């Protein structure tokens, strides 16, 4: 007999013992042995599956679809280290409130605007690689960090840019569109999806491990943390950093 401090564990094992006794009574010794082996095998397989999934979430990237933008929409990093990750939102809501998420049109908007990002996450959580990580994508623009003034206007060199297809609150979007346009957007198209948060978690885990980036809000930023809030509001009030294990705002940054 084994004794456990955890009452729940004791009850589970007691139930297994009682079940085994019943099994012997009903099926005989061979039936008991077969069910015993099957139960243990199920426990082993379940444990392996759980550990494998946990390991994958820690070190592996999500499934990434290559959809590289023209090379002239990015440039060389010039040897700069990757130290930060910058998050953005993207949509076509100014042009089309009823169909604000179209992958091909969205990428064309970047091309026409001479902008780019390394990754784009669609509403289903599919991760698209738009610019090779070794190159500098054009996503951060001008800006600065209060705790790192030496980085002023240079974040493109040192960061990975991630666009998420999403739309912010009216406060976030009023610099881009009218209230009438915003009110025409369907509620389901506001904010971000659970599938996006799951994929973003995997992507962040992968990038953090690959580039040794601290998992904190001093190094994983929103565009609004970098650029002036009057010009850049993304990823906006509907993006919840706690869903990727971070605080809502940068604190105690040095």
């Amino acid at each position: 007999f084994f004794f456990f401090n955890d009452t729940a564990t004791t009850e589970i094992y007691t139930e297994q013992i009682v079940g085994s006794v019943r099994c012997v009574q009903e099926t005989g010794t061979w039936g008991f042995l077969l069910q015993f082996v099957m139960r243990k095998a199920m426990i082993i397989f379940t444990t392996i599956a759980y550990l494998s999934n946990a390991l994958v979430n820690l070190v592996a990237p999500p499934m990434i679809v290559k959809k590289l933008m023209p090379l002239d929409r990015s440039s060389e990093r010039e040897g700069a280290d990757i130290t930060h990750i910058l998050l953005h939102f993207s949509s076509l809501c100014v042009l089309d409130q009823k169909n604000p998420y179209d992958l091909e049109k969205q990428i064309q908007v970047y091309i026409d605007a001479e902008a780019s990002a390394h990754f784009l996450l669609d509403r289903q959580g599919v991760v698209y690689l738009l610019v090779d990580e070794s190159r500098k994508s054009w996503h951060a623009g001008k800006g600065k960090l209060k705790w790192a003034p030496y980085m002023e206007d240079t974040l493109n060199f040192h960061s990975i840019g991630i666009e998420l297809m999403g739309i912010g609150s009216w406060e976030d979007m009023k610099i881009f569109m009218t209230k009438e346009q915003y009110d025409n957007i369907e509620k389901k198209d506001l904010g971000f999806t659970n599938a996006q948060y799951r994929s973003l978690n995997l992507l962040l885990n992968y990038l953090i491990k690959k580039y040794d980036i601290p998992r904190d809000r001093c190094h994983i930023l929103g565009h609004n943390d970098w650029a002036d809030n009057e010009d850049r509001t993304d990823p906006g009030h509907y993006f919840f950093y706690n869903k990727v294990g971070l605080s809502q705002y940068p604190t105690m940054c040095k």
Side-chain angles (χ1 to χ4, degrees), residues 80-91:
D81 291 334
I82 296 173
T83 57
H84 290 73
I85 297 169
L86 195 62
L87 304 178
H88 308 260
F89 58 38
S90 281
S91 76

Side-chain angles (χ1 to χ4, degrees), residues 169-179 182 233:
S169 68
W170 164 240
E171 286 300 311
D172 301 321
M173 303 304 297
K174 65 183 181 181
I175 63 175
F176 307 113
M177 62 197 311
T178 67
K179 187 66 164 64
Y182 186 81
T233 57

Side-chain angles (χ1 to χ4, degrees), residues 148-201:
Y150 56 87
M151 291 189 68
E152 185 170 357
D153 297 342
T154 63
L155 191 57
N156 276 340
F157 284 98
H158 299 281
S159 63
I160 296 289
I162 301 175
E163 294 276 0
L164 296 101
M165 284 188 171
I167 301 170
S169 68
W170 164 240
E171 286 300 311
D172 301 321
M173 303 304 297
K174 65 183 181 181
I175 63 175
F176 307 113
M177 62 197 311
T178 67
K179 187 66 164 64
E180 182 180 2
Q181 287 176 313
Y182 186 81
D183 289 341
N184 282 331
I185 301 170
E186 294 186 35
K187 298 297 183 185
K188 67 179 179 61
D189 290 327
L190 300 177
F192 304 90
T193 66
N194 288 330
Q196 286 178 305
Y197 282 116
R198 285 193 294 270
S199 293
L200 181 59
N201 256 311

Side-chain angles (χ1 to χ4, degrees), residues 53-65:
N53 186 59
L55 183 61
V56 166
N57 287 343
L58 283 174
V59 302
M63 293 296 294
I64 295 174
V65 179

Side-chain angles (χ1 to χ4, degrees), residues 2 37 44 77 106-107 110 117 140 145 159 199 208 211 219:
F2 298 92
V37 170
I44 292 170
R77 282 196 188 272
Q106 185 64 68
I107 293 175
Y110 300 151
L145 299 172
S159 63
S199 293
I208 285 167
Y211 297 108
H219 295 85

Side-chain angles (χ1 to χ4, degrees), residues 39-230:
R39 285 182 182 180
K40 295 305 177 184
M42 184 63 69
I43 292 172
I44 292 170
F45 290 144
T46 301
T47 302
I48 291 173
Y50 174 81
L51 293 175
S52 298
N53 186 59
L55 183 61
V56 166
N57 287 343
L58 283 174
V59 302
M63 293 296 294
I64 295 174
V65 179
K66 279 191 175 183
K67 200 168 184 63
L68 296 175
M69 295 177 61
L71 206 59
D72 62 1
R73 288 300 180 267
S74 62
S75 50
E76 299 292 334
R77 282 196 188 272
E78 300 178 16
D81 291 334
I82 296 173
T83 57
H84 290 73
I85 297 169
L86 195 62
L87 304 178
H88 308 260
F89 58 38
S90 281
S91 76
L92 304 169
C93 65
V94 175
L95 303 173
D96 188 350
Q97 290 86 56
K98 295 306 180 185
N99 184 29
Y101 304 119
D102 183 294
L103 178 66
E104 300 298 335
K105 290 181 180 179
Q106 185 64 68
I107 293 175
Q108 189 59 50
V109 167
Y110 300 151
I111 293 173
D112 293 343
E114 297 188 3
S116 59
H118 294 95
F119 296 98
L120 171 65
L121 277 66
D122 72 9
R123 300 293 281 178
Q124 289 71 45
V126 178
V127 181
Y128 294 93
L129 176 67
L130 305 185
V131 175
D132 192 276
E133 296 166 41
S134 64
R135 293 182 62 79
K136 178 181 72 172
S137 68
W138 303 343
H139 64 100
K142 293 185 177 181
K144 59 184 177 181
L145 299 172
K146 293 179 180 179
W147 59 90
Y150 56 87
M151 291 189 68
E152 185 170 357
D153 297 342
T154 63
L155 191 57
N156 276 340
F157 284 98
H158 299 281
S159 63
I160 296 289
I162 301 175
E163 294 276 0
L164 296 101
M165 284 188 171
I167 301 170
S169 68
W170 164 240
E171 286 300 311
D172 301 321
M173 303 304 297
K174 65 183 181 181
I175 63 175
F176 307 113
M177 62 197 311
T178 67
K179 187 66 164 64
E180 182 180 2
Q181 287 176 313
Y182 186 81
D183 289 341
N184 282 331
I185 301 170
E186 294 186 35
K187 298 297 183 185
K188 67 179 179 61
D189 290 327
L190 300 177
F192 304 90
T193 66
N194 288 330
Q196 286 178 305
Y197 282 116
R198 285 193 294 270
S199 293
L200 181 59
N201 256 311
L202 290 173
L203 184 57
L204 290 177
N205 289 344
Y206 162 69
L207 294 171
I208 285 167
K209 183 174 181 62
K210 183 174 181 179
Y211 297 108
D212 196 25
I213 299 172
R215 193 186 187 98
D216 59 41
R217 285 284 279 109
C218 305
H219 295 85
I220 302 174
L221 308 167
H223 202 185
N224 62 301
D225 297 319
W226 168 252
D228 192 322
N229 272 334
E230 294 182 0

